[in-house]
Amino acid sequence: EVQLVESGGGLVQPGGSLRLSCVASGFSFSSYSMNWVRQAPGKGLEWVSYISSSSSTIYYADSVQGRFTISRDNAKNSLYLQMNSLRDEDTAVYYCAKSWMRYFDYWGQGTLVTVSS
Amino acid sequence: EIVLTQSPATLSLSPGERATLSCRASQGVSSYLAWYRQKPGQAPRLLIYDASNRATGIPARISGSGSGTDFTLTISSLEPEDFAVYYCQQRSNWPSTFGQGTKLEIK
């Protein structure tokens, strides 16, 4: 059974930093690209970042480019999102999502990031 | 960036009725479109990929159609678990984008 478990969310002040983690199990993590997708409270879905299986290809949404960094450790079956210079508008549930044909076939339960003073 | 516009924003139907949801792209995405269902408090679930292919475990009463800029998700006979929010997503161009969602509610 595929499982994706996010952690690291919480309350942070504007301008602060946070690091999200996602631990994967039930599939060959090193063979698949991964993504972060977020959802602001009561709003729709927004793709945030993509990383290929070998970390050779990385993409970011314009809204987070230069502030967020995606990475992975295939030996630990883990995906990360380093978030710096956080803004109010970054408040959201952040989902780790497995790529399949560049769709998202498995999602974690999400971790809530709240940016507020 | 490709903008996906879903309609209607809210659809009120009864169990057993047929639901038709629309997704229109601002430019052609070929057949590179997916549909997801999200229940309250849960993560989205992939229903349809490449416009018309059902994902693993998705029942035959859920179907997708379309290509280019106009796509449709059809649920032939609504079950209680179908009342949720539905999103379309394109993977034709980076960045991948989602529609704003259609809420399917019980009438």
Side-chain angles (χ1 to χ4, degrees), chain B:
Chain B
E1 167 173 319
I2 294 176
V3 176
L4 299 178
T5 302
Q6 293 186 239
S7 61
T10 303
L11 185 57
S12 299
L13 293 170
S14 300
E17 290 192 296
R18 181 185 187 91
T20 303
L21 287 66
S22 175
C23 177
R24 176 164 289 179
S26 60
Q27 63 189 78
V29 297
S30 186
S31 295
Y32 300 133
L33 188 110
W35 291 92
Y36 299 83
R37 176 177 65 197
Q38 187 178 33
K39 298 178 183 179
Q42 296 186 17
R45 179 180 181 180
L46 178 66
L47 302 175
I48 299 287
Y49 66 93
D50 285 351
S52 61
N53 296 291
R54 276 184 292 275
T56 302
I58 302 305
R61 58 192 176 77
I62 295 175
S63 62
S65 63
S67 66
T69 60
D70 290 295
F71 300 86
T72 300
L73 178 72
T74 301
I75 306 173
S76 59
S77 179
L78 287 167
E79 299 282 341
E81 63 266 26
D82 296 327
F83 294 94
V85 179
Y86 291 79
Y87 295 96
C88 56
Q89 174 237 341
Q90 66 81 20
R91 66 129 172 143
S92 176
N93 287 6
W94 289 104
S96 180
T97 50
F98 291 91
Q100 82 282 10
T102 289
K103 181 179 181 181
L104 179 53
E105 64 178 23
I106 299 176
K107 186 175 182 179

Side-chain angles (χ1 to χ4, degrees), chain A residues 12 14-18 67-68 83-88 90 115:
Chain A
V12 61
S17 298
L18 215 52
R67 301 187 298 121
F68 289 11
M83 304 186 296
N84 298 331
S85 302
L86 282 161
R87 306 167 179 168
D88 291 350
D90 295 318
V115 183

Side-chain angles (χ1 to χ4, degrees), chain A residues 35 37 39 43-47 50 59-62 95 100-110, chain B residues 31-34 36 38 42-46 49-51 87 89 91-96 98-100:
Chain A
N35 301 267
V37 179
Q39 186 170 35
K43 302 297 184 182
L45 301 167
E46 179 188 15
W47 168 80
Y50 162 97
Y59 297 118
Y60 297 100
D62 286 347
Y95 293 103
W100 177 71
M101 295 173 56
R102 285 173 51 198
Y103 299 116
F104 312 112
D105 63 339
Y106 287 96
W107 301 61
Q109 85 290 347
Chain B
S31 295
Y32 300 133
L33 188 110
Y36 299 83
Q38 187 178 33
Q42 296 186 17
R45 179 180 181 180
L46 178 66
Y49 66 93
D50 285 351
Y87 295 96
Q89 174 237 341
R91 66 129 172 143
S92 176
N93 287 6
W94 289 104
S96 180
F98 291 91
Q100 82 282 10

